[in-house]
Amino acid sequence: MSHPSTHRAAGSGTAAANVPDWQAWCDAWTRHIPVLTGRTDLTVTVAPGAGGGAPACFYPDARRIEVDATHIGAPDITDPRRAGHKRIVPTAYGLLVHEAAHATHSLWTTPAGTPPVVAAVADLLEESRAENRHRGRRRADRRWLRHTVTTLLDPADAPVDDPWHAAHLAGLLLARVDARIITAKDIRGVRAAVTAVLGRKKLRQLRDIWRQAHTLGDTDATGMIDLAWRWCRILDIDPHQQPHPPQPDPGEFAGKLAQALADYLAHTLGLTHAEYAAQQIHARHGAPAWWTRRDPTDAERAAARTLAARLRRARTHSPEPDTRFSPIPPGRLRTRHAITAEAQIAAGSMPTATPWQRRAQVPPPKPHLHLAVLVDTSASMRSYAAPMSSAGWILAHAAATNQATITMIGFGSRATLLVPPRQRPAHVLDMRAAGGTTAFGDAVKLADQLLQLRQPGRLRMLAVVSDGDLPDAAPVQRLITTLHQAGCAVLWLRPADLAGHTFTDTTTLMVADPVQAVDAIADAAVTALENA
């Protein structure tokens, strides 16, 4: 998601392409915008892709508001000339109101020479300030502004638990509580997460800043910049030494901030956390349309049955003496339970007591296996694409009946979910190898999100099939070390015929061919269960 400052962009921007199907919306909202702003010099453009990468944007120099038509859907969903149309498209209309607030009240500009980090904070404060001023002028528009929050936010706004991103989240959400756009109850979980990262004292100081910003005039650039400098000082940021906004460490996993924000967004959309997460994963990590699906071969079905049998034996290879209870003999009679059974029968109910006890050899309890397989889909790993596609289907079907959860993720220029956890895919997804390996960090974080690889108390393993030739090894190493320290075993399978990099805190095996890599993953899963 773009930074909030992109909702009020300098310059005139590039006007969105004129789409005839959306011309009625452009005309209707251009006629309507004076009602929201009191200005007659503004135009509104509604088109797919409008907004300069944001859901909507205001260009002061061009006196133009753009709204991405994606948030409307189809141009014939309703008649924009009718007053009731806003109830059909509340999010899109809320975006129009949000940009109208900027057009009316964001009349200051950042002075030349302002450090970018200070300008970013001032723009962040302006979001709630403009909405607060608009709500004071048009109270009924609050309902529409509430609808925009889910489109202006994204879990990526809080990628790590550090003071900068905690303060950023506070400026986006907690400040809107004081602006009376959302309620304190709405963001109770977010407030707790922000407080845990910042502490009560710093959060109280930041709140004083955004509340002062809400009182400033629409043209008070000096006041906004002064407050932004204070914000930086509270966060121990020296804009002279660190002029640009802090960037998240790609070697860190998302934490409580991202979790709290995702919970809030899921709640506002009327979804459970699992439903919202699945929706986001499908949108970001779905397979490309040009990757094909096919029926599994007889050899793949046989391999799945063989691996399932191996996993089953691994869970039961050393039976242990135990005691079992039964409602019928043979065995030792337990008098108290026999009396309970007689009483249940006399009362006319189905007996649930188990009066008989006998010894038996039973499999020892085994933990649930959580296995994530990451497959390098860059051009150098082209020979591994087809065998690993088969491996994903085989592993998923073998795990389904053996108390195991397996997921497979491809990483190249983006992370792609090949085999979702807890599913038995009907078809084999044939991946295609091309591009680079920039998305390895995203793939690891996705695997952790799906299987909770850092959570103790479970049997966890990460298997990576790659030459290890990654563009930035240092963050990757930090991610691997974090998993290792959390008790997650990391198996790295490197092709012997390719040059690459070996990471520490991994068990690295050199494999001669793709089939050997598949066998190594299966052997590691079986061994992990046997030794659990």
Side-chain angles (χ1 to χ4, degrees), residues 77-120:
I77 192 172
T78 185
D79 186 351
R81 295 171 298 180
R82 296 182 178 274
H85 81 283
K86 61 189 72 172
R87 292 191 295 271
I88 307 299
V89 289
T91 298
Y93 185 75
L95 291 171
L96 179 68
V97 174
H98 177 82
E99 301 310 325
H102 281 311
T104 309
H105 301 290
S106 301
L107 304 182
W108 59 273
T109 56
T110 304
T114 302
V117 64
V118 176

Side-chain angles (χ1 to χ4, degrees), residues 146-147 149-150 182 186 262-271 276:
R146 283 176 60 89
H147 282 283
V149 178
T150 55
I182 58 179
D186 292 336
D263 288 343
Y264 165 76
L265 293 174
H267 175 72
T268 56
L269 292 172
L271 304 173
Y276 178 76

Side-chain angles (χ1 to χ4, degrees), residues 20-249:
D21 291 345
W22 292 98
Q23 190 59 48
W25 286 83
C26 298
D27 295 340
W29 279 7
T30 296
R31 290 192 298 269
H32 179 65
I33 198 66
V35 176
L36 299 176
T37 63
R39 295 178 55 173
T40 59
D41 60 338
L42 299 175
T43 60
V44 179
T45 298
V46 181
C57 189
F58 169 54
Y59 294 94
D61 294 344
R63 299 187 295 278
R64 184 177 72 250
I65 291 174
E66 293 187 2
V67 178
D68 188 350
T70 302
H71 301 284
I72 296 175
D76 58 353
I77 192 172
T78 185
D79 186 351
R81 295 171 298 180
R82 296 182 178 274
H85 81 283
K86 61 189 72 172
R87 292 191 295 271
I88 307 299
V89 289
T91 298
Y93 185 75
L95 291 171
L96 179 68
V97 174
H98 177 82
E99 301 310 325
H102 281 311
T104 309
H105 301 290
S106 301
L107 304 182
W108 59 273
T109 56
T110 304
T114 302
V117 64
V118 176
V121 172
D123 286 331
L124 173 66
L125 296 172
E126 180 62 20
E127 290 294 292
S128 62
R129 192 201 74 85
E131 289 186 358
N132 180 61
R133 301 282 287 188
H134 184 92
R135 183 201 58 81
R137 188 169 50 85
R138 292 178 53 87
R139 292 184 181 276
D141 284 347
R142 172 182 179 270
R143 62 180 295 194
W144 310 116
L145 290 172
R146 283 176 60 89
H147 282 283
T148 68
V149 178
T150 55
T151 56
L152 302 180
L153 293 175
D154 189 277
D157 286 324
V160 294
D161 289 348
D162 64 9
W164 170 262
H165 289 91
H168 179 76
L169 190 56
L172 288 174
L173 278 177
L174 275 61
R176 280 187 164 97
V177 174
D178 287 323
R180 298 184 182 180
I181 304 302
I182 58 179
T183 67
K185 182 180 178 181
D186 292 336
I187 48 88
R188 185 180 301 159
V190 174
R191 185 184 299 277
V194 169
T195 304
V197 175
L198 287 177
R200 295 182 182 278
K201 180 180 178 181
K202 282 189 176 180
L203 180 56
R204 186 167 55 250
Q205 292 172 331
L206 296 180
R207 187 188 185 203
D208 290 340
I209 290 178
W210 72 60
R211 293 182 73 177
Q212 290 184 43
H214 293 172
T215 66
L216 296 182
D218 295 339
T219 60
D220 192 353
T222 301
M224 292 296 291
I225 298 300
D226 287 346
L227 291 176
W229 278 92
R230 282 178 53 192
W231 184 285
C232 292
R233 286 194 294 271
I234 292 171
L235 298 179
D236 299 320
I237 296 174
D238 184 355
H240 297 296
Q241 301 296 325
Q242 187 180 350
H244 295 283
Q247 297 300 310
D249 183 355

